[in-house]
Amino acid sequence: MLFSALLLLSALAQPTPPATARPAAAEVRHYAIDVAGIRVGTMTATRQAAAGTDVTYSLVSDVKVNFLIYRLKIYYQVTNRFRNGQLMLSTVEAHTNQGDFSSRAEWKGDHYDIVAKQYKHEYKAIEKQPIRYTVTNMFFAEPPPGQTRAYAEYFGDYFALSRNKAGNWRALRDGREDEYQYTNGQLVTIIKKNPLRNFIIRLLPE
């Protein structure tokens, strides 16, 4: 459970485009990951708008834990590409001390092919409903009212969402519970609950 709790781009020699053609500046959020009050890693969430309606989200997590005889190392990167508000491609690459793993969801015109091969978790499915909201979206704004689920890129299926109180959301999946805390619409803390130790992901000041 402790291991699985954290299993979460150049134009050289080209003329400078006119100001109206430049992509919008990327939105970046930096977080620290703590266990038992000790910083064990970092997480960086990025949102980059491209031409037209294309938007790319990425989430990079780098964790190293050393507790007596317990060793844990996880690096993973999520990349989501949206068009017109719909997820077109999601990839997850995970590199750990237990091996390398991946997940992928790709829109094929009328369905998604979903394959997740992660640590102690394998899942394969066809999803016909367009995916418009993912876990990574939650890093950039509080879920809209009535949002009842978020696509979990790592697992290839969904977290059920519920709002406990103002600025506080609960995400549940297969016995796993995460708590998302927002202040003025900004994600400031995630509590990933675990029987051994909770992981606390907290926003760092800019």
Side-chain angles (χ1 to χ4, degrees), residues 30-165:
H30 297 284
Y31 295 82
I33 303 174
D34 298 336
V35 177
I38 300 172
R39 183 164 170 173
V40 298
T42 60
M43 185 174 285
T44 303
T46 305
R47 179 185 185 276
Q48 177 67 68
T53 63
D54 290 3
V55 182
T56 298
Y57 293 83
S58 68
L59 185 64
V60 177
S61 177
D62 192 5
V63 174
K64 295 178 183 178
V65 178
N66 293 292
F67 289 152
L68 298 176
I69 62 172
Y70 186 85
R71 300 290 184 270
L72 171 64
K73 181 179 180 180
I74 303 172
Y75 176 91
Y76 77 82
Q77 178 169 350
V78 180
T79 303
N80 292 339
R81 295 186 174 89
F82 281 78
R83 178 168 294 167
N84 293 321
Q86 178 183 334
L87 181 68
M88 305 304 292
L89 177 64
S90 174
T91 60
V92 181
E93 296 182 5
H95 306 284
T96 80
N97 57 322
Q98 298 292 330
D100 296 332
F101 307 95
S102 65
S103 298
R104 183 182 182 92
E106 185 174 6
W107 179 248
K108 294 295 188 175
D110 62 355
H111 71 276
Y112 293 94
D113 285 339
I114 299 175
V115 179
K117 294 183 178 180
Q118 299 291 351
Y119 177 73
K120 293 186 177 181
H121 173 78
E122 292 197 13
Y123 181 76
K124 187 175 183 180
I126 291 175
E127 172 62 69
K128 294 184 178 181
Q129 294 298 317
I131 297 171
R132 300 188 181 280
Y133 196 78
T134 72
V135 168
T136 302
N137 290 82
M138 298 179 70
F139 283 79
F140 295 92
E142 185 173 351
Q147 186 69 43
T148 60
R149 66 179 189 170
Y151 179 71
E153 303 95 334
Y154 179 90
F155 296 105
D157 56 12
Y158 293 86
F159 273 99
L161 299 180
S162 60
R163 186 171 182 252
N164 295 328
K165 57 184 179 180

